[in-house]
Amino acid sequence: MKTSNSKQFSVIELMKQEPVWVIFIGCFLFFSIVSSEFLSVGNLLNILLQSSILGILAVGMTFLMISGYFDISIGSMMAFTAAVAVSLTGYSIVLAIVAALTCGALFGAINGLLVTKAKINAFIVTLAAMSGIRGLLYVYTGEREIIGLAREFEKIAAGKLLNIPYPILIWAVIVIVCEFILRKTVYGRNVYGLGGNLDATKNAGVPVDRYVLAFFVINGILVSIAGIILASRLNAATPVLGLGQEMIVIIAVVLGGTKLDGGSGNMIKTVAGVLTVGIIQNGMNILNVQTFYNMLIMGSIFILVVFMDAKLKPAAR
């Protein structure tokens, strides 16, 4: 009896401290048991590939949420940059990529300036941006699908290095670089400082507004990279692309342990959160489960993790 209580205590404590790994392992084991297709090399690689766009979006959101901010316009932003990239491939692929990256950086800068200079709440700013950018997208596309004119553009999403698809490699490089910045640089320590103790960070002489602006710009650039990869994969863009994507990103980031009120989080756990979402979506597709059940499960997991973050988990980086 004593041993049983000890094991139960250990599982509860592990769930409190590392919920993302418990949920990740649980989902992985569950789908491994119920589906013979799940553990195939091709399917596992497909999970990584399908998760790469969400993963890139989650990196930018992690930066923002650690510092105490977030951006709910990323779905609209990704769709717009994808449309820009696709529409310009007929002229030059380089031009298409540069234009998409510029749009992402510009949208991020506008959001950041409104938050830092106009002192408008980030939720209000990015809510307005979500609607405004989506409206611009409808105008830009003429409410129609845009088809890419250069087949070479598809190689961004379809190409491989050492048999690993480019999107996975791009995601991995971004994660490694950003994790290094967060953990090994003064800049990274100040990111945590902004979310953990804003007043102390200001008193230490950190240019807070400049940092916050940089976070939004970085987020915009990462969103545009995701948009370019998505556009390359589809070789097309539509006005409804990316609808609801911001909620899935926030679920993945929070599931990865980044606190909603800032000051805590890291990229490796964000990757675990992204892969957990990817495993659930992939497993549900393999089992032919209807989409609304997928949404129900995601929402339930999100509520569970937020509850544990607020009530059970001690504050820690």
Side-chain angles (χ1 to χ4, degrees):
M1 190 70 177
K2 185 176 181 181
T3 304
S4 176
N5 289 337
S6 177
K7 288 181 179 179
Q8 184 182 16
F9 176 78
S10 297
V11 171
I12 293 173
E13 284 301 311
L14 182 61
M15 190 63 185
K16 289 180 182 179
Q17 297 295 330
E18 303 292 348
V20 64
W21 295 114
V22 174
I23 296 172
F24 172 82
I25 294 170
C27 290
F28 189 89
L29 291 175
F30 173 77
F31 288 114
S32 299
I33 293 169
V34 300
S35 172
S36 58
E37 301 174 33
F38 181 78
L39 282 179
S40 67
V41 174
N43 187 60
L44 294 178
L45 191 62
N46 185 54
I47 291 173
L48 287 172
L49 182 59
Q50 295 296 327
S51 298
S52 59
I53 291 176
L54 174 62
I56 293 170
L57 294 173
V59 170
M61 188 68 80
T62 300
F63 259 108
L64 283 173
M65 289 180 63
I66 290 174
S67 62
Y69 299 87
F70 55 91
D71 186 346
I72 60 172
S73 69
I74 59 175
S76 298
M77 202 186 305
M78 180 179 69
F80 189 90
T81 55
V84 168
V86 169
S87 66
L88 296 177
T89 54
Y91 299 98
S92 165
I93 293 177
V94 173
L95 174 63
I97 293 172
V98 170
L101 291 173
T102 301
C103 286
L106 181 60
F107 286 139
I110 292 172
N111 285 343
L113 286 171
L114 288 172
V115 170
T116 57
K117 301 303 180 182
K119 304 301 180 185
I120 304 174
N121 182 275
F123 176 80
I124 301 300
V125 168
T126 58
L127 179 63
M130 178 175 68
S131 177
I133 295 171
R134 186 68 63 178
L136 284 176
L137 176 60
Y138 275 97
V139 172
Y140 186 80
T141 61
E143 300 184 40
R144 297 188 301 272
E145 181 182 34
I146 301 176
I147 306 296
L149 299 177
R151 306 304 296 183
E152 294 82 3
F153 183 63
E154 296 180 21
K155 293 180 181 178
I156 296 174
K160 295 181 179 181
L161 178 64
L162 301 177
N163 211 33
I164 302 175
Y166 288 156
I168 298 175
L169 294 173
I170 293 169
W171 177 27
V173 169
I174 290 172
V175 168
I176 291 169
V177 170
C178 290
E179 176 68 2
F180 176 83
I181 291 172
L182 281 176
R183 293 297 174 183
K184 302 297 183 181
T185 68
V186 173
Y187 184 90
R189 288 194 292 273
N190 288 334
V191 174
Y192 287 103
L194 262 65
N197 194 329
L198 180 59
D199 291 335
T201 303
K202 285 182 178 179
N203 293 335
V206 175
V208 170
D209 286 355
R210 194 184 306 168
Y211 268 75
V212 174
L213 177 59
F215 299 154
F216 277 98
V217 172
I218 291 170
N219 180 62
I221 292 171
L222 291 174
V223 170
S224 63
I225 292 173
I228 291 166
I229 294 173
L230 181 60
S232 172
R233 179 183 297 172
L234 302 174
N235 201 26
T238 68
V240 296
L241 205 64
L243 282 174
Q245 190 67 44
E246 51 282 330
M247 182 54 65
I248 302 298
V249 173
I250 292 174
I251 289 173
V253 174
V254 173
L255 181 59
T258 301
K259 297 176 74 66
L260 286 170
D261 55 357
S264 178
N266 67 67
M267 293 299 170
I268 304 304
K269 289 185 180 180
T270 290
V271 170
V274 169
L275 291 178
T276 301
V277 171
I279 287 170
I280 293 172
Q281 293 177 331
N282 177 267
M284 291 296 179
N285 288 335
I286 290 176
L287 298 176
N288 293 317
V289 176
Q290 294 183 347
T291 304
F292 60 82
Y293 285 115
N294 194 340
M295 296 169 64
L296 177 62
I297 291 172
M298 289 295 177
S300 300
I301 291 175
F302 181 68
I303 292 172
L304 172 64
V305 173
V306 170
F307 171 78
M308 295 188 69
D309 180 73
K311 301 296 183 182
L312 302 175
K313 185 179 175 183
R317 285 189 185 178

